[in-house]
Amino acid sequence: MKRFLTRGGVIFLCVSTAAAVLLCVAAATDSGTDPVHSAFGGITAPLRAGSAAAGRWVESIAARFAAVEELQARNEALEQKVAELEEALRQAQTDSEENRRLRELLGLRRRRRDFSLEAAFVTARSGSNWASALTLDKGTACGVAIGNCVMDSRGALAGVVTEAGETWCTVTTVLDPSSELGAKVFRTGETGIASGNLRLMTENRLSLHFLEGGALKSGDLVITSGLGGYYPAGLLIGSVEELRTDDGGVEQYAVLIPRADIDGETELFIITAFSVEK
Amino acid sequence: MAQGRVVYRRLFYAAAAPVLLMAQDLFLNGSTLWGVHPLLPPLAVATVAVWQRRQESLCASAAFGLLCDLWMPGLIPCYFFLSFTLTAFFIGALAPRRTAPGLFRVTLWGAAALAINSLPAVLIFACRDRGTVPAALVLAGKELILSVPLTAPVYVLLLPIRRRFDRGMSLSGVSHEATSA
């Protein structure tokens, strides 16, 4: 013990403790990303990007040897789906034209939504099982800011930026227990709060609370409500899987299947700016 | 001579730390079973804590915890610093020091380290919402079951360091060369 005291061991322990306290204070007093995290993230960002690129290269090679029959079956199913979507598109064009004529009749202005998008690759996934987060390879240098929504290529919401360095950002996904978003059921217009849940996170699900009525059906789409103007409206969060009652037996909530593939996505799109005209 | 061994041992353990974190990032974070992925860092902390002197393992665990807090932030800013220091403290206090532990004992202490590592998270969720405690305990159990088998590769990775630089040193930290001299 004496040797430990005289050989600088206690000094080393004090330095480590001081660094840990500094981390805590910086995180508590600064609403953004603390300087230590930002600096460390900036140093490790190229390493993460390099290792993620190597991983994608290996995966792409392995994918080429995937079962041919499976690909053929998927191709046939997709061709059928395309045919159905083309039919739906033709109907939608007819409906859109009718909508335009009716708006003119009623004197309504056209609602428009514009997004500024920044494409980013996923360089790391959450190291902790108690949270759901992704690290992307774009940061404040590309206009990314805390609070920006992140979506996948199909327009489904993946999460929200909660930390941003110069060349990296951390996205808390919709599955994270701390995640809360204003949501709306597309079919009924009912509003609620879509939030992560620790139990549901391991099942790759999230919950929808504060439902006014009980008219939800399995398969109902849930989108962001955009109330408050913090997040754009109309981003697809997921679809209803089932309705459950909480442990107290009082409140009913819906279990949602997220539309974005949180574990599989390698490229996401950060909404750095948006405008909605009504 | 003994001092040189100590320095090289610490350097090699320090070099093993980022290797473990890279392995965690590249291979384990994306490999989930029951919605949970295995964790390597607590196993490394337990292995070093069982093999090395109490004071040295405490310092190593604190430093490794800081590195983990920066590389893969946990629920609170100093999560891994606190849990790893706690782990090293308990293992240092409870693990017998007379014999050099093999893989089986290291695995047992690895399981203890995983349990201690999950404890702060369970407490945090209990404070936020008591209803999440059962789910938190289930998650901690899944993490433990999935991670314990990985003690073997961690043991294999760190064993050459111990064999090379701890040869001739007892667990009390006294070099046999020094005493014979």
Side-chain angles (χ1 to χ4, degrees), chain A residues 29-163:
Chain A
T29 55
D30 193 345
S31 59
T33 306
D34 59 274
V36 180
H37 252 122
S38 184
F40 192 84
I43 293 167
T44 58
L47 291 171
R48 288 185 192 274
S51 66
R56 286 195 299 274
W57 180 73
V58 171
E59 279 177 16
S60 69
I61 291 175
R64 287 179 197 172
F65 295 97
V68 173
E69 285 182 11
E70 185 190 346
L71 287 171
Q72 283 176 340
R74 281 181 67 188
N75 192 34
E76 285 172 16
L78 285 170
E79 281 180 353
Q80 189 178 355
K81 186 80 177 170
V82 165
E84 290 171 6
L85 288 172
E86 282 176 346
E87 173 61 30
L89 178 62
R90 283 189 285 275
Q91 182 62 43
Q93 283 171 340
T94 308
D95 294 340
S96 176
E97 180 57 30
E98 185 182 355
N99 189 23
R100 185 189 64 77
R101 282 188 283 106
L102 289 171
R103 279 182 170 272
E104 282 175 4
L105 275 174
L106 291 170
L108 294 174
R109 285 182 300 165
R110 187 165 179 266
R111 186 177 180 178
R112 205 182 67 203
R113 186 179 71 176
D114 292 318
F115 289 160
S116 295
L117 299 176
E118 190 65 43
F121 282 110
V122 177
T123 56
R125 301 185 187 277
S126 175
S128 169
N129 285 310
W130 301 88
S132 177
L134 304 168
T135 303
L136 306 183
D137 65 351
K138 291 287 168 68
T140 54
C142 298
V144 177
I146 292 172
N148 287 162
C149 283
V150 179
M151 64 182 196
D152 66 2
S153 56
R154 294 172 295 176
L157 182 68
V160 176
V161 175
T162 49
E163 276 188 321

Side-chain angles (χ1 to χ4, degrees), chain B residues 9 13 16 20 42-54 56-61 64 88 91 97 106 154 158 161-162 166 171:
Chain B
R9 183 182 66 221
Y13 276 137
L20 284 167
L43 301 173
V45 170
T47 307
V48 172
V50 165
W51 282 345
Q52 303 305 323
R53 293 178 297 153
R54 292 187 188 98
E56 194 170 346
S57 66
L58 202 61
C59 289
S61 302
F64 191 38
I91 292 179
R97 295 278 146 182
V106 169
V154 173
L158 299 177
I161 303 172
R162 174 180 164 75
D166 287 351
L171 283 170

Side-chain angles (χ1 to χ4, degrees), chain A:
Chain A
M1 191 63 184
K2 200 173 177 183
R3 283 165 68 189
F4 174 67
L5 288 173
T6 54
R7 293 233 173 136
V10 72
I11 296 172
F12 183 79
L13 199 56
C14 287
V15 168
S16 299
T17 309
V21 169
L22 190 68
L23 265 179
C24 286
V25 170
T29 55
D30 193 345
S31 59
T33 306
D34 59 274
V36 180
H37 252 122
S38 184
F40 192 84
I43 293 167
T44 58
L47 291 171
R48 288 185 192 274
S51 66
R56 286 195 299 274
W57 180 73
V58 171
E59 279 177 16
S60 69
I61 291 175
R64 287 179 197 172
F65 295 97
V68 173
E69 285 182 11
E70 185 190 346
L71 287 171
Q72 283 176 340
R74 281 181 67 188
N75 192 34
E76 285 172 16
L78 285 170
E79 281 180 353
Q80 189 178 355
K81 186 80 177 170
V82 165
E84 290 171 6
L85 288 172
E86 282 176 346
E87 173 61 30
L89 178 62
R90 283 189 285 275
Q91 182 62 43
Q93 283 171 340
T94 308
D95 294 340
S96 176
E97 180 57 30
E98 185 182 355
N99 189 23
R100 185 189 64 77
R101 282 188 283 106
L102 289 171
R103 279 182 170 272
E104 282 175 4
L105 275 174
L106 291 170
L108 294 174
R109 285 182 300 165
R110 187 165 179 266
R111 186 177 180 178
R112 205 182 67 203
R113 186 179 71 176
D114 292 318
F115 289 160
S116 295
L117 299 176
E118 190 65 43
F121 282 110
V122 177
T123 56
R125 301 185 187 277
S126 175
S128 169
N129 285 310
W130 301 88
S132 177
L134 304 168
T135 303
L136 306 183
D137 65 351
K138 291 287 168 68
T140 54
C142 298
V144 177
I146 292 172
N148 287 162
C149 283
V150 179
M151 64 182 196
D152 66 2
S153 56
R154 294 172 295 176
L157 182 68
V160 176
V161 175
T162 49
E163 276 188 321
E166 195 165 337
T167 57
W168 59 276
C169 64
T170 300
V171 177
T172 299
T173 75
V174 293
L175 300 176
D176 189 88
S178 65
S179 168
E180 279 190 348
L181 296 159
K184 186 165 75 173
V185 181
F186 184 73
R187 181 176 61 89
T188 64
E190 210 172 343
T191 55
I193 303 286
S195 57
N197 177 293
L198 185 64
R199 188 187 329 175
L200 294 176
M201 184 175 69
T202 57
E203 300 170 20
N204 227 33
R205 302 285 187 268
L206 63 156
S207 60
L208 180 65
H209 288 265
F210 303 110
L211 302 169
E212 293 157 5
L216 287 188
K217 290 181 191 174
S218 175
D220 273 344
L221 296 179
V222 177
I223 58 175
T224 52
S225 62
L227 294 174
Y230 295 108
Y231 308 128
L235 291 177
L236 184 58
I237 299 175
S239 56
V240 174
E241 185 181 45
E242 59 176 340
L243 289 177
R244 291 185 191 173
T245 309
D246 68 356
D247 294 335
V250 175
E251 187 194 355
Q252 203 176 37
Y253 65 94
V255 175
L256 306 182
I257 305 171
R259 187 52 65 97
D261 182 11
I262 306 291
D263 290 334
E265 290 289 352
T266 55
E267 187 177 15
L268 294 170
F269 299 87
I270 306 167
I271 302 173
T272 54
F274 68 93
S275 62
V276 178
E277 289 181 17
K278 295 185 184 179

Side-chain angles (χ1 to χ4, degrees), chain A residues 20 24 48 126-127 129-130 202, chain B residues 25 29 35 37 55 71 78 136 143:
Chain A
C24 286
R48 288 185 192 274
S126 175
N129 285 310
W130 301 88
T202 57
Chain B
D25 238 2
N29 285 352
H37 62 72
Q55 298 85 0
W71 184 273
C78 296
E143 193 176 77

